[in-house]
């Protein structure tokens, strides 16, 4: 099973993980392979990278880890980018709830497939809703 780590500005990572747990509450293994790392404005970069590496180790059961981050170029994205240098790690920036839900749903596949499904879920989850309908 592919592990998933969400790294985002506080409290977004925890909030997204809690939402995923709520949606998949009937599936006990949903939390086992999902971790969240909230990065606040006073975070020490070296400590945050070290903590993120710990979380990757916690959820890596040999199938790889998908890291979802909120903003490329911001501190959480920079932390995630450093982790992308590890083996069996894929990083996607621009996390949203549909992306995370898709990743959790398909985490039984290969890492590359889970990343593709997450990207598709993220794109398909963004749309303008016509209020007239």
């Amino acid at each position: 099973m592919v592990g998933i780590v969400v790294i985002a500005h506080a409290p977004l990572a925890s909030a997204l993980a809690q939402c995923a747990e709520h949606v998949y509450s009937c599936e006990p293994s949903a939390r086992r392979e999902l971790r969240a790392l909230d990065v606040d404005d006073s975070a020490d970069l070296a400590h945050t990278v070290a903590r993120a590496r710990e979380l990757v180790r916690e959820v890596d059961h040999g199938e790889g880890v998908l890291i979802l981050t909120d903003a490329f170029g911001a501190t959480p994205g920079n932390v995630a980018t450093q982790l992308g240098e590890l083996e069996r790690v894929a990083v996607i920036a621009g996390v949203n709830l549909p992306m995370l839900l898709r990743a959790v749903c398909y985490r039984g596949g290969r890492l590359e497939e889970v990343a593709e499904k997450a990207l598709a879920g993220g794109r398909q989850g963004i749309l303008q809703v016509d209020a007239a309908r």
Side-chain angles (χ1 to χ4, degrees):
M1 188 108 9
V2 171
I4 300 169
V5 177
V6 181
I7 304 173
H9 290 88
L12 183 58
S14 291
L16 287 170
Q18 289 173 357
C19 287
E21 290 171 13
H22 171 77
V23 170
Y24 291 107
S25 61
C26 62
E27 188 178 339
S29 68
R31 180 64 177 144
R32 195 171 343 155
E33 288 90 15
L34 175 61
R35 297 292 184 277
L37 178 59
D38 288 313
V39 180
D40 62 32
D41 57 356
S42 64
D44 174 72
L45 186 61
H47 174 73
T48 305
V49 170
R51 178 65 183 132
R53 288 180 190 275
E54 289 175 22
L55 295 177
V56 167
R57 282 192 295 275
E58 286 179 17
V59 298
D60 187 359
H61 303 293
E63 302 299 321
V65 177
L66 178 62
I67 298 177
L68 303 175
T69 188
D70 56 357
F72 181 77
T75 301
N78 293 337
V79 170
T81 299
Q82 289 189 40
L83 299 175
E85 298 169 356
L86 301 172
E87 287 187 48
R88 296 185 324 267
V89 170
V91 178
I92 299 175
V95 66
N96 60 29
L97 184 58
M99 178 186 291
L100 176 57
L101 294 177
R102 186 73 63 95
V104 170
C105 183
Y106 289 96
R107 69 187 185 279
R110 292 184 351 223
L111 178 58
E112 297 79 18
E113 294 168 345
V114 177
E116 288 175 18
K117 294 289 189 181
L119 282 168
R123 283 190 296 268
Q124 293 167 3
I126 299 171
L127 56 118
Q128 184 173 353
V129 177
D130 185 0
R133 291 186 182 183

